[in-house]
Amino acid sequence: MSRRERRFRGISMRLARHYLTGLGGEERDETTVVADDWRADLSAEKVGIGPTIELTEVTVVFEGEAETLDSVVEQFAQKAMRAGG
């Protein structure tokens, strides 16, 4: 079992869950999406990027087999980068 943690700025928890369900996952609750061969746990916090600007930063902890995570993490990152700028 492998574990990968990635952080994405400028997306919401709702959008992150939407992307993960689009990749085959099923929402268990507001912070957990599970598929047959992977799991993602989400958390969010506000981070400052300057003296007056804050963005939401969503942290996604992926767990599953390494080969599966390579694809899932990459696909999620592509979606998140397009949304977050």
Side-chain angles (χ1 to χ4, degrees):
M1 185 73 73
S2 292
R3 182 179 188 272
R4 310 236 175 100
E5 182 174 316
R6 298 280 304 267
R7 293 175 185 193
F8 302 91
R9 291 185 175 180
I11 68 169
S12 65
M13 291 275 286
R14 179 194 57 79
L15 191 55
R17 287 191 310 269
H18 174 74
Y19 291 156
L20 290 165
T21 58
L23 294 173
E26 180 180 313
E27 283 186 55
R28 296 288 181 194
D29 56 42
E30 290 188 359
T31 61
T32 307
V33 178
V34 178
D36 289 340
D37 50 359
W38 57 266
R39 171 190 178 105
D41 293 298
L42 301 102
S43 60
E45 66 180 328
K46 294 284 187 186
V47 294
I49 60 168
T52 59
I53 299 174
E54 286 189 337
L55 286 177
T56 299
E57 181 176 82
V58 174
T59 300
V60 185
V61 177
F62 297 91
E63 293 182 343
E65 295 301 320
E67 301 80 30
T68 300
L69 292 186
D70 289 342
S71 175
V72 172
V73 173
E74 178 61 29
Q75 290 177 66
F76 180 85
Q78 287 178 3
K79 291 175 181 291
M81 292 302 177
R82 283 196 298 266

